[in-house]
Amino acid sequence: MAKRKRRRHAKAQALTPGQWVIFALTGLALVLGLAVSLAEGEGLPSWESIFSRVGLEAQPLPAEGLAAAANAVHFIDVGQGDATLLQSGGEYCLVDAGEPDSEDALLAYLRGMGVSRLKLLVMSHPHADHIGSMAAVLQEFPVDEVLLPDFDKAPYPTTATFERVMQLILDKGIPAVTAAPGQRFALGNGAVQVLDAGVETENYNDLSQVLHFEAGGLSVLLTGDGEKAVEKAALGAGGLPHVQVFKAAHHGSNTSNTEDFLWAVRPRYVVVSCGANNSYGHPHKEPVARFAALGAQVLRTDENGSVVLAEEENGLRLYTARTPEGGSTGGEQEAA
Ligand SMILES: [Zn+2]
């Protein structure tokens, strides 16, 4: 080994200083890529994986939407709230439905993407920035099944927004399932799996499920507004997967996104769903620094608009789409 090194060194002496710099930088990039991949337990890295760490370049989302058969996750720009659309094999699951005043933007986005029915509608927890436009979604789209938080773990919600959603589910006779670890909901070529289902709490954020969506080569982790207690419980339960995409918990709040949790799931892309200039200061600077330490590419609905990661023939693609109106508002409602 030492001999070979000396020989290469002797040859390299003929390089100009400029060539030396290029040579050294290329070597450094390769060594870093190798070190990161080995640290992640992935074995030797492919060229593609080394260069994918540079980040994906965003392209405008085609107006006609993605191919129905695609595997994709859409972080829809609903201002200060969450609405995440999971897509596979022409089937759709919507996780949360934004704040009340994002109704038009949300419905327009779903229609624009060619959604005509939802195989599954998930309520992560009953705060208005997650269920604000859920009644409108239930009115507009046929829904095959609803996944609800485990309300036995918290005082039962009494807001008018919540009661309206529950009444519509009842009136339409939609089967409703209470979240429990181990549940699996088939979606196209993949499935949405409940890894954990909230903790005993007075804080509705901590009712949020830990959901893993996997379809083809796409893997996504959603934890709603789950805070430290939810992340600790999920870590304790074990079996957290390494994922490509993570929705920053609780809009990128420092109440969540703990270092231990992030390093357990090691996302390559983190998407923060939050409103421009929101009154909570989301995303907080500490979690943003933790995402950077992971080497993850960070995307934000307040800056990028709707963010879509889609698995296509030639790998993962990143699309962004500005919401014409209604999205990226600051939001002033409580308990975002
Ligand atoms: Zn929220």
Side-chain angles (χ1 to χ4, degrees):
M1 192 64 179
K3 254 185 188 172
R4 201 182 303 157
K5 229 179 189 175
R6 266 202 299 277
R7 270 208 306 274
R8 191 180 294 166
H9 185 70
K11 251 187 191 173
Q13 276 178 340
L15 296 175
T16 65
Q19 284 170 323
W20 256 115
V21 170
I22 293 167
F23 183 67
L25 286 177
T26 308
L28 187 65
L30 287 174
V31 168
L32 281 177
L34 180 66
V36 171
S37 287
L38 288 176
E40 288 185 358
E42 293 172 355
L44 288 171
S46 63
W47 282 98
E48 198 188 16
S49 74
I50 292 171
F51 287 105
S52 71
R53 291 178 194 290
V54 173
L56 292 171
E57 201 175 321
Q59 298 166 11
L61 184 65
E64 69 278 14
L66 304 176
N71 299 317
V73 54
H74 306 240
F75 299 91
I76 304 168
D77 179 12
V78 287
Q80 182 64 18
D82 270 10
T84 310
L85 181 70
L86 307 175
Q87 169 183 357
S88 179
E91 295 185 330
Y92 299 91
C93 164
L94 182 67
V95 182
D96 291 336
E99 54 183 2
D101 67 9
S102 60
E103 181 179 316
D104 292 346
L106 175 60
L107 296 181
Y109 188 94
L110 295 174
R111 282 186 215 116
M113 289 301 112
V115 176
S116 59
R117 78 182 295 122
L118 295 170
K119 191 160 188 218
L120 183 66
L121 175 63
V122 181
M123 179 192 293
S124 71
H125 68 292
H127 279 150
D129 58 317
H130 297 252
I131 64 164
S133 299
M134 199 168 272
V137 168
L138 283 159
Q139 295 279 25
E140 170 109 2
F141 299 98
V143 174
D144 293 351
E145 198 171 16
V146 174
L147 178 65
L148 297 173
D150 184 352
F151 291 118
D152 286 346
K153 291 178 175 167
Y156 198 72
T158 54
T159 63
T161 310
F162 173 76
E163 284 171 358
R164 182 144 180 263
V165 169
M166 297 305 281
Q167 191 60 50
L168 266 171
I169 293 169
L170 208 61
D171 291 350
K172 290 178 177 287
I174 302 170
V177 178
T178 293
Q183 288 164 337
R184 188 177 182 281
F185 299 86
L187 190 76
N189 314 310
V192 179
Q193 217 179 322
V194 181
L195 302 183
D196 216 346
V199 297
E200 300 272 345
T201 184
E202 300 272 309
N203 169 5
Y204 287 140
N205 287 342
D206 284 345
L207 283 184
S208 299
Q209 308 90 356
V210 176
L211 300 177
H212 183 213
F213 169 54
E214 205 170 15
L218 182 67
S219 69
V220 181
L221 195 75
L222 305 173
T223 61
D225 282 359
E227 301 189 11
K228 291 183 178 87
V230 167
E231 295 181 358
K232 200 173 164 204
L235 279 167
L240 282 172
H242 289 182
V243 293
Q244 280 175 315
V245 187
F246 175 57
K247 184 193 72 71
H250 195 195
H251 319 286
S253 168
N254 200 32
T255 57
S256 316
N257 306 291
T258 54
E259 191 169 9
D260 287 352
F261 186 82
L262 291 173
W263 280 94
V265 297
R266 298 179 190 189
R268 293 187 170 198
Y269 307 94
V270 174
V271 183
V272 182
S273 187
C274 66
N277 306 314
N278 66 78
S279 54
Y280 309 95
H282 293 154
H284 293 150
K285 63 180 189 306
E286 298 87 346
V288 170
R290 291 195 281 272
F291 304 148
L294 285 170
Q297 184 176 358
V298 179
L299 298 139
R300 302 169 50 157
T301 58
D302 59 339
E303 292 178 351
N304 301 99
S306 297
V307 174
V308 181
L309 285 143
E311 187 195 40
E312 296 183 353
E313 269 175 27
N314 44 2
L316 198 68
R317 297 286 281 271
L318 167 64
Y319 297 102
T320 54
R322 277 269 158 216
T323 306
E325 53 186 283
S328 287
T329 54
E332 289 293 334
Q333 80 284 3
E334 280 173 37

